[in-house]
Amino acid sequence: MKTQVCIVGAGPAALLLGHLLRAEGVECVVIERQTPDYILGRIRAGVLEEITVSLMARLGLDARLRAEGLPHGGFNLADGERLIRIDIADLTGKQVVVYGQTELTRDLMAAREERGLEVVYEAADVALHEVESDAPYVTYTKDGSEHRVDARFVVGCDGFHGPSRKAIPERVAREYLREYPFGWLGILADVPPCNHELIYANHERGFALASMRSETRSRYYVDVPLTDRVEEWNDERLWDELAIRLGPEAAAHMTRGPSLEKSIAPLRSYVFAPMRHGSLLLCGDAAHIVPPTGAKGLNLAASDVHYAAEALTGFFRRNEPDRVAAYSDTALARVWKSERFSWSLTRLMHRFPEDGPFERAMQVAELDYIASSRAAQTAIAENYVGLPV
Ligand code: RFL
Ligand code: PHB
């Protein structure tokens, strides 16, 4: 098979990019290892920035997002007794939208046929070849036979564990990694949220987050040591812990219910550079990971895709090859700012095992400062809604 762009992976980054390229008349094929049901079974992001919402709107695939997404004009930082509200609408004039990654992916999947986006699911042994040349290709096996896709560009949207990043030779690669000494244990339940806005809590027993997917579906997290297993956390124990960490006000409004999903995700900050080498571009988790505290992962994937789509349509439709050359620097400039915000909010809201009284006093002082300063709140708010693309 021959195409202009071969996209590896069919998560949100890949499908957004595929649709944006198709909308501009660029040929592309998407190659994914898993089944659609497997992908829709992964419970991940819940908060969308303006860039992500605007890309769905540009594609005309935002009808359900507009109807069912919950616009949020603020969120809260909790510290012991105190609830510090960050009024993002007042401070920035913008808002975020609570709409699950699963639903966004479902909307993108559903439009495949109508928009002529070809996706090959259940492709095994996906491998990238000749990415330093102008004629890269991707091979895979499916139903017992070998396949080859020749393209002008390959875009790796295959997440943190996919093969694309590894196709960039070590001699040009730089990696930046920070692993955190805890993971987030998440629970999804069909119960109304305890608060109409998100609450990020730093309690002496650890971090907690009260989030939601809709007015009848809640998503909560606590941080746990990396050695903990999900089986050690029955629903009752988790609800008890959430009630303590989120504080009496939230606990009074918290409805408990059986978990629909429960899992532990490790936290890390990771950046791979460059994000383009030869004819290979990387987008989303394939190139970088942020700890989920800033709600940035999916949104960063969306801004990468925005830059990659501009670069590739420039190349194929407008005779502007330079944007492809600039892609890595353009995308990384925004990536690093989101990494910084996600890292600093993680640092502020979690108790690290190595922390002593001084580090704790620094957290308290910073939260005090945020509570009393409009400038500090503005800095948090403008990062949370998303920096300009
Ligand atoms: P994905 O979603 O991982 O998709 C990659 C796709 O590539 C496929 N793949 C392969 N395909 C072919 N061959 C191979 N060998 C392959 N290997 C892998 C995979 O099957 C998959 O379909 O990456 P993408 O598209 O870059 O999207 C990134 C987001 O998924 C991620 O950043 C967010 O989920 C992060 N995240 C959050 N982001 C936000 O913006 N806001 C949030 O509120 C938020 N909360 C979260 C999160 C991530 C979490 N976890 C579990 C990591 C909360 C959690 C708990
Ligand atoms: C979620 O609802 O899953 C969620 C919300 C905000 C975050 C992380 C995860 O910062």
Side-chain angles (χ1 to χ4, degrees):
M1 194 192 312
K2 200 165 167 46
T3 189
Q4 289 175 315
V5 180
C6 179
I7 302 174
V8 183
L15 295 183
L16 261 178
L17 179 63
H19 278 300
L20 287 167
L21 293 178
R22 290 304 302 129
E24 295 285 342
V26 176
E27 288 170 24
C28 59
V29 176
V30 180
I31 312 289
E32 164 66 46
R33 187 168 60 134
Q34 305 288 356
T35 64
D37 282 349
Y38 180 92
I39 293 170
L40 293 175
R42 296 191 291 223
I43 311 297
R44 290 187 167 182
V47 177
L48 308 185
E49 291 176 7
E50 202 172 54
I51 175 66
T52 312
V53 175
S54 72
L55 289 179
M56 292 299 281
R58 197 199 300 174
L59 289 168
L61 297 177
D62 61 336
R64 209 159 65 90
L65 197 164
R66 273 188 289 114
E68 296 173 23
L70 306 173
H72 279 208
F75 69 96
N76 303 277
L77 300 177
D79 178 30
E81 299 299 291
R82 195 167 38 172
L83 209 59
I84 307 168
R85 178 160 191 269
I86 309 294
D87 189 335
I88 46 182
D90 177 48
L91 293 161
T92 68
K94 297 179 187 162
Q95 53 190 9
V96 293
V97 178
V98 170
Y99 190 69
Q101 174 169 335
T102 313
E103 301 313 314
L104 182 120
T105 309
R106 196 188 303 281
D107 297 340
L108 291 165
M109 268 183 190
R112 268 174 297 158
E113 215 166 300
E114 173 207 325
R115 303 288 171 99
L117 176 62
E118 189 182 347
V119 185
V120 178
Y121 287 99
E122 298 179 78
D125 311 317
V126 175
L128 290 74
H129 309 270
E130 305 287 344
V131 299
E132 291 186 305
S133 78
D134 289 347
Y137 62 98
V138 173
T139 53
Y140 62 94
T141 52
K142 185 168 159 100
D143 302 328
S145 54
E146 282 230 4
H147 299 262
R148 169 172 167 153
V149 181
D150 286 282
R152 175 63 189 84
F153 290 100
V154 175
V155 185
C157 298
D158 46 355
F160 187 64
H161 301 286
S164 295
R165 188 174 66 246
K166 291 157 203 148
I168 296 183
E170 263 176 42
R171 67 183 152 78
V172 296
R174 273 161 291 142
E175 288 186 290
Y176 306 82
L177 172 67
R178 166 81 152 96
E179 285 177 314
Y180 298 88
F182 37 73
W184 276 19
L185 166 64
I187 180 172
L188 185 72
D190 272 336
V191 292
C194 67
N195 189 53
H196 69 289
E197 290 175 347
L198 272 63
I199 304 174
Y200 294 82
N202 177 338
H203 186 273
E204 61 180 347
R205 289 172 68 97
F207 171 83
L209 168 60
S211 180
M212 66 194 76
R213 289 291 176 274
S214 69
E215 268 142 26
T216 55
R217 182 168 282 193
S218 299
R219 179 75 164 154
Y220 289 94
Y221 299 92
V222 292
D223 76 329
V224 295
L226 287 169
T227 46
D228 275 21
R229 299 277 145 259
V230 179
E231 303 74 52
E232 297 167 37
W233 286 88
N234 64 38
D235 290 1
E236 207 52 32
R237 179 178 175 209
L238 183 46
W239 289 116
D240 287 344
E241 193 63 30
L242 281 162
I244 297 169
R245 294 189 189 185
L246 288 166
E249 176 68 20
H253 295 98
M254 199 170 84
T255 312
R256 298 176 181 221
S259 60
L260 302 172
E261 193 263 3
K262 206 162 30 175
S263 55
I264 297 178
L267 264 65
R268 59 168 77 89
S269 297
Y270 175 81
V271 178
F272 181 93
M275 284 175 62
R276 180 199 61 85
H277 180 70
S279 301
L280 169 63
L281 287 71
L282 302 176
C283 291
D285 281 13
H288 42 72
I289 298 288
V290 285
T293 326
K296 289 280 162 267
L298 172 60
N299 296 303
L300 215 43
S303 62
D304 289 351
V305 161
H306 164 76
Y307 297 130
E310 289 287 307
L312 293 168
T313 51
F315 184 93
F316 288 110
R317 312 292 298 175
R318 295 192 298 271
N319 197 21
E320 293 171 2
D322 296 352
R323 285 216 176 167
V324 172
Y327 168 71
S328 180
D329 288 345
T330 310
L332 279 170
R334 194 169 188 278
V335 165
W336 276 117
K337 292 184 199 118
S338 291
E339 289 282 350
R340 187 208 66 81
F341 177 66
S342 304
W343 163 81
S344 73
L345 203 58
T346 303
R347 193 78 197 77
L348 177 66
M349 299 308 294
H350 293 74
R351 308 279 169 124
F352 286 67
E354 68 271 22
D355 281 2
F358 178 80
E359 285 76 16
R360 177 60 195 143
M362 289 296 97
Q363 286 186 334
V364 173
E366 189 169 344
L367 286 160
D368 274 347
Y369 171 55
I370 293 165
S372 64
S373 162
R374 189 175 167 89
Q377 289 177 16
T378 305
I380 292 181
E382 72 176 3
N383 277 282
Y384 197 81
V385 294
L387 295 173
V389 286

